[in-house]
Amino acid sequence: MFAFSPALIRQVAQRAGYRCEYCHTPQEVTAQAFHLDHIIPRARGGPTNLDNLCYACPRCNLHKSNQVEASDPRTRRVTRLFNPRTDRWPDHFRWSPTYQRIVGRTAIGRTTLTLLDFNAPILVKARQLWLVLALIP
């Protein structure tokens, strides 16, 4: 297990607005500690620094694991995953009209949301409540 300093955790969490930088789940409604994710995994040579760390809900972090690319479900081409440090979320994703689902705008968006399972039924249901609580979008 890799240990991060409390100051580093706080810095990454604050930068992310205390929400998952992948699926935008707000931490305050999960009752779970979020993870610091190595965008480029340590197993692939990624450094432990602010430019390679993001705030991730446990679900996204576990789905991502040590992957940096996957198959785009539309084209079947191998595509890199969304990088919260270099990519802008709205360039690759958008909310559905009901704000219950996340839609991929690009190959990177489609690949990431499929691999990380952004629209699992439990998340779609939870987003109904988050919308009422004004926690999304």
Side-chain angles (χ1 to χ4, degrees), residues 73-85:
R74 183 180 296 166
T75 67
R76 303 290 181 227
R77 291 189 178 132
V78 174
T79 305
R80 73 173 176 85
L81 299 178
F82 175 75
N83 180 330
R85 296 289 68 77

Side-chain angles (χ1 to χ4, degrees), residues 74-107:
R74 183 180 296 166
T75 67
R76 303 290 181 227
R77 291 189 178 132
V78 174
T79 305
R80 73 173 176 85
L81 299 178
F82 175 75
N83 180 330
R85 296 289 68 77
T86 60
D87 298 325
R88 287 180 6 100
W89 200 89
D91 292 343
H92 297 283
F93 309 101
R94 69 173 173 81
W95 290 100
S96 68
T98 63
Y99 294 99
Q100 293 176 7
R101 299 180 64 78
I102 296 173
V103 179
R105 294 179 178 262
T106 65

Side-chain angles (χ1 to χ4, degrees), residues 14 17 21 27 41 45 50 52 55 69 73 76 85 90-91 94 96-97 100 102 106 108-109 117 126 129:
Q14 287 174 343
E21 294 187 74
Q27 183 181 12
L50 278 175
N52 190 46
Y55 209 51
E69 60 189 17
R76 303 290 181 227
R85 296 289 68 77
D91 292 343
R94 69 173 173 81
S96 68
Q100 293 176 7
I102 296 173
T106 65
I108 290 168
D117 199 20
L129 297 173

Side-chain angles (χ1 to χ4, degrees), residues 8 16 26 41 43 61 68 73 93 102 108 120-121 124 128-129 131 134 137:
L8 183 61
N61 194 33
V68 295
F93 309 101
I102 296 173
I108 290 168
V124 171
Q128 294 172 4
L129 297 173
L131 188 58

Side-chain angles (χ1 to χ4, degrees), residues 13-118:
Q14 287 174 343
R15 178 180 64 192
Y18 297 93
R19 67 177 57 238
C20 177
E21 294 187 74
Y22 295 115
C23 72
H24 279 204
T25 292
Q27 183 181 12
E28 62 193 316
V29 295
T30 66
Q32 295 182 338
F34 275 27
H35 302 175
L36 295 194
D37 174 53
H38 285 85
I39 299 163
I40 306 300
R42 290 177 62 221
R44 293 178 179 242
T48 300
N49 61 38
L50 278 175
D51 291 335
N52 190 46
L53 293 173
C54 76
Y55 209 51
C57 68
R59 180 180 181 79
C60 282
N61 194 33
L62 292 172
H63 276 87
K64 180 178 171 277
S65 186
N66 69 349
Q67 298 180 77
V68 295
E69 60 189 17
S71 178
D72 174 1
R74 183 180 296 166
T75 67
R76 303 290 181 227
R77 291 189 178 132
V78 174
T79 305
R80 73 173 176 85
L81 299 178
F82 175 75
N83 180 330
R85 296 289 68 77
T86 60
D87 298 325
R88 287 180 6 100
W89 200 89
D91 292 343
H92 297 283
F93 309 101
R94 69 173 173 81
W95 290 100
S96 68
T98 63
Y99 294 99
Q100 293 176 7
R101 299 180 64 78
I102 296 173
V103 179
R105 294 179 178 262
T106 65
I108 290 168
R110 290 187 303 269
T111 300
T112 303
L113 78 84
T114 300
L115 179 70
L116 277 56
D117 199 20
F118 283 4

